[in-house]
Amino acid sequence: MGKVVEFTRVAGSQTSKPGTERGPAKPLWRHALGEVLRGERLGQERILTEVAATAGVSPQYLSEIERGRKEPSSEVLGSVAEALGLDLVDVVQRVGGLLGERRDVERRETELRELLRIETSFAFRADANAPLDVGPEHPLDAAPVAPAVSNAYLLAA
């Protein structure tokens, strides 16, 4: 009989049933909103209790909003934005911009992973003595990739 080898679980990976695989979790509106509000408050060098009192909410509730655990109503969000000296539309634009930046980064990373997968597939099929030529204009050349290991082979049993 063979020996059972257990693999350690990689941080952030999820086990799922076959056919139910999903991509990485999408960022939530409330998380981005919390980052924007906390960033603005800290940028103004104000403490949580001061902004909460001005907005008319409890410091605990404002803290949960900033940590992305609670999604405030439009009235509460308007009060917090006003307490920070912002218009509601400014907050919405900042959150939308943050989510858009993350989407763009995720798309680039997905494209680079796919290119790397394809290039790796061809590299293992190529002659072992012929190095894979990646020119300066190739997308993988600019990608931050772990250092290549020379004389590496894919072994399949």
Side-chain angles (χ1 to χ4, degrees):
M1 294 296 273
K3 180 180 176 186
V4 176
V5 177
E6 291 187 32
F7 293 98
T8 58
R9 187 171 179 190
V10 177
S13 68
Q14 299 178 7
T15 57
S16 60
K17 296 178 183 176
T20 61
E21 293 86 11
R22 295 186 202 180
K26 302 289 182 194
L28 296 177
W29 165 266
R30 68 177 186 255
H31 293 156
L33 173 64
E35 286 182 43
V36 167
L37 293 176
R38 177 170 281 171
E40 181 64 29
R41 179 178 60 79
L42 294 175
Q44 294 178 11
E45 298 180 353
R46 294 175 67 188
I47 60 173
L48 188 80
T49 54
E50 176 193 351
V51 174
T54 306
V57 297
S58 72
Q60 295 83 2
Y61 187 61
L62 181 56
S63 174
E64 291 201 350
I65 292 171
E66 287 186 354
R67 289 182 288 140
R69 294 185 178 224
K70 297 287 183 183
E71 193 162 346
S73 67
S74 59
E75 291 84 5
V76 170
L77 181 56
S79 295
V80 173
E82 187 176 317
L84 291 169
L86 300 172
D87 288 330
L88 188 57
V89 70
D90 295 331
V91 174
V92 172
Q93 286 177 337
R94 289 181 187 185
V95 172
L98 181 61
L99 291 173
E101 289 171 12
R102 289 186 178 162
R103 180 197 58 209
D104 294 343
V105 167
E106 182 180 315
R107 283 183 182 166
R108 283 193 300 273
E109 288 175 352
T110 301
E111 290 171 0
L112 288 173
R113 276 193 304 272
E114 182 63 18
L115 284 172
L116 182 59
R117 186 187 67 77
I118 292 169
E119 293 289 338
T120 304
S121 172
F122 284 120
F124 285 124
R125 291 184 209 152
D127 181 14
N129 295 327
L132 180 63
D133 185 25
V134 177
E137 68 282 345
H138 194 283
L140 288 177
D141 186 54
V145 180
V149 177
S150 61
N151 299 328
Y153 298 96
L154 173 64
L155 301 177

